[in-house]
Structure formats: structure tokens, C-alpha cells
Amino acid sequence: MSTLAKQTSVVKAVRGTRDLLPPETALWNHVESVARAVFARYGFGEIRTPIFEDTQLFARGVGEETDIVSKEMYTWEDRARAQSEKSQSLTLRPENTAGVVRAYIEHKLGERGDLQKLYYIGPQFRRERPQRGRYRQFWQIGVEVLGPISSGAESPIRDAEVLEMLATLLDELGIKGWRLELNSVGSATDRPRYVAALREALAPVKSRMCEDNQRRAETNPLRVLDSKAPEDQHIINALPKIADFLDDASREHFAAVLAALDACGVAYTVNPRLVRGLDYYTRTTFEFTVPDGSGLGTQNALLGGGRYDGLSEMLGGPKAPGIGFAIGEDRLILILEEQATGTGEPVAAQKLDAYIAPMGIERNAAALALARELRRAGLSVEVGDGTFRLKKSFEAADKVARHIIILGEDELATHTATVKTFATGEQVKIAQTELQSLLR
RNA sequence: GCGGCUAUAGUUCAGUGGCAGAACGCCGCUCUGUGGCAGCGGAUGUCGUGGGUUCGACCCCCACUAGCCGCCCCA
């Protein structure tokens, strides 16, 4: 540590943020490339929206009363730069659906007439208390399917397609033991009717419930449904079910989603208590969870999503029903690391194809030239240094590569190379032109 | 935002009111073109930060910060 660092305080990553380093970043890249490949097969294109937006977007889209908007956003007043300019309240995006719908409206994507299938991968920001699987800057991989009514955006087949795609993605990533839970929260008019009924039903019984649930019964009755308090379950089970408050259209829509899932063999559980925290959700809502011990601690929700048929209008846009989800990428990575190692440790780095060990500094230039040739041919190669003793080269090579290529005076004179394969211990001296086929 | 637990070497962790420890890892030598094993040697660090108690604090007390766990919420 330098003298300077001892005297002054060290600047660290701020609470709830973190650096992602190799080799772990290789896993992130893997996850993202699998996701992109799957999305492409379903006809999705990538959208990249700004990392900060007008605060109004989230206030109106996500909902003023939600925890996210009321206490978890990073918001600041962006000062005016000139007399003619007004200052503006800006916010780091706490989620990406509102931004995507804003872009849909702004670029009049609905005028294109066809269904818009968009995906995004990027950081989101919420000022929450950090925990395992919960960070203040976290990454989401999400998709949105939306469009005018005539594009079929409201059709239950879209819901089922999105869910089936998720099942495929999680399977391809190798996530084990996931469960899909889904529910219908009804239309924009169904939900308030249900909440009113819930309040009414809770009024006479809430005094017999735990402290948390008494508070929820006042502030957010839907939350009572999530309660895990064992002593309150008999009361909760007797509360009205949202299914009884759905209008005919919503009921039929949900039934069609389930039928389509059955048809393509995606397993699910209908959870009448599943409610979500964002105001824009309508009709189908869902969550994919993993079992305890999967690496997430108490944050067992890997992803969540649902339909948002009125969101575009709430943001001043045209009618554009849609459905989407967001995967917690940080959580996905935690699960994969837990599965890979059983300990939650980061996975080991992938080894390079070869390590070139020049014997003596006079061989350095030739080693770099050979490396260039192999690298241009698509091989992954590290180059040592001629000042290293051969033993040191071996130790360094074994850590990072599958083969060591020894380049000494003899080899250079005869255009050959000595190659040893670490896994087998076999060593051969071959023409340099044969290297590529040997190393692959 | 509230409560609990924790913070010692690069890593994982012991430890005691009186000289700072182990394992693994790292560096060197045994060993100038053949590693993984072994032997010998070496460096690890303001004991999270700042105060307080004490002759003396890594240890006791307080505050702060951070991580983890629970609540809340969510991805």
C-alpha cells in the first residue's frame, strides 16, 4: 500500500454496489449470450433506454404509492444551465418497463402496426438495504411484448409464449428446480373492487392477526396475502379470492393462458395469493422461484413479471397492451455459482489453448510473432517471457493454459515447436505449421 | 427505515487485558531446456474506522462504516 493511501482514506465502492471481476464476468457474459440467443429465436430485438429518466415517468408508471417510488429511488434536481432552461427532477431507473413503454410511445412504435418484441439487459437502481441477492445497483434481463390491439398484443398466446420462453431459457442455463407461480389480478377495475372487499373482510378479523399483518391490513391489504406467519394462515385462507372478482373477459383470458401452457407442457402452479408490487400490473402476473438452499438466501424470487394493459395510457400514449418480465441477473448468477460449486464460490476461469514459453530474451520477439499467428487463427494464447526459467514458465503455464509451447534455439532454427499437453503429460516436437491442429 | 450477528495476512479462519498466529496461496533457493511432489528459507497485517476505559486494548465500552441474517420490499 502506498504512503498516500495510508495517509488518506481509501475510496471504496458505495454501499450496495460492487465490482464484477474476472473470472466471474465470464459467467455473466455466458448468461447474457444464452439469453440473447434464446430471445432471438423468439423474434425479440434489443432496446437500450437511458439509465436515468424524468422522475414523472416512474411516478406515473410504477405508482406513487409503491415502495419503489415512495422511498427507494435515486432522485435529484438537475439544475438549469441557462436562464431559459428549467431545472428538472431526474431519477436513476428503478426498473426498465416504464422506460421501454416511454420509448414505444415516443418513437410511435405502435404506428408500425406489428407486435413489438423487445429485450433489454442493464443496471437498475433502488435505494434498499443491501442483502444477499439484493443490491442497490443490480442487473435485470427483461423483455416486453406490446403493440396495438390489432397486433394481437392482448392475446393470451402472448402470455403463454413469454412463459414458455422463460422455461426454455432457465432450462438452457441449467437452472434446476425452478417453479412457475402465476395468478390473474384482473383488469384495472377488478383490482380496486377486490382490494375494497379485502379491506371489508379484514376489518373484523385483523385484530387476531400478527402485528405485521395488522399494519398491512391498513396500508396494503394485498400484502396480507403473502404473509408467511403460520398462525394467521387460517384467517388468510378464508379471505376473498381475487379469482371471484375477475370480470368474464379476464377470467377467460387467464383460462386461455393456462390451457396454452398445458398444451406446450410448461409446469405451473396457480397461486391465488400472488400479488405484485408495481401498480401497472393487470391480469396475468407471475414469478419464478427456486427452492431454499439454491444460493439466494431469503430472496427466492428469481424473476417476476406480468401484463400491463393500461400502462401506455397512464403515460399519455395510445392503447398498447403488453406483457413482460425482469430476471434478477445477479440472482441468476448466484444460483449458477451455487449449483456449479456447491459453495457459492465463483467458477474457475476457462483455460487458454496455449502458453508460449520463449527460452531466453532473444526468443521473445519470435514468441510474440507466433502468438499473433495462432491468435489470428482463433486460438487463445498467452505469451511468457524469456527471462523466466523454464520451471517458472511451466508453473505459470499450468495455471492458465492447456498446453505449453517451448520455443528455444533449436526450435526456431528448425521452425518447430515443443508442445506439452498438461492433461496427459505427452510431449511432442512438431513443425510450427502443425501447431494449430494440435492445439484445437 | 427497524432489529440481530459479524469484521485479524491475498483467501479461509484460530487467538489472548502484556512480543500477531495456522492452513492454503504468494516469492526465493535446492533446480540455467521440463511444472504439479518434496525440503529449506522469506514477506505478509495501522487486528474495519474513530473515540473512551486502562500503566498497557486486537481483546472491555461507545459511535460510525461495511458484510451477512431477519423484518419491510422486490429482481
Side-chain angles (χ1 to χ4, degrees), chain A residues 24-77:
Chain A
E24 198 191 14
T25 38
L27 185 54
W28 285 73
N29 284 326
H30 167 72
V31 163
E32 290 168 15
S33 67
V34 170
R36 288 175 195 278
V38 169
F39 296 158
R41 298 209 301 268
Y42 287 76
F44 284 81
E46 184 177 6
I47 182 171
R48 301 190 189 195
T49 65
I51 232 165
F52 56 93
E53 299 264 7
D54 190 316
T55 303
Q56 276 302 305
L57 175 66
F58 305 114
R60 285 160 60 184
V62 177
E64 297 269 16
E65 302 306 314
T66 61
D67 279 23
I68 292 176
V69 172
S70 65
K71 49 192 193 198
E72 296 176 0
M73 297 204 304
Y74 285 98
T75 296
W76 71 99
E77 198 63 26

Side-chain angles (χ1 to χ4, degrees), chain A residues 401-415:
Chain A
R402 294 158 44 227
H403 303 275
I404 183 169
I405 300 175
I406 300 163
L407 268 196
E409 208 173 346
D410 309 348
E411 286 88 351
L412 282 175
T414 55
H415 299 290

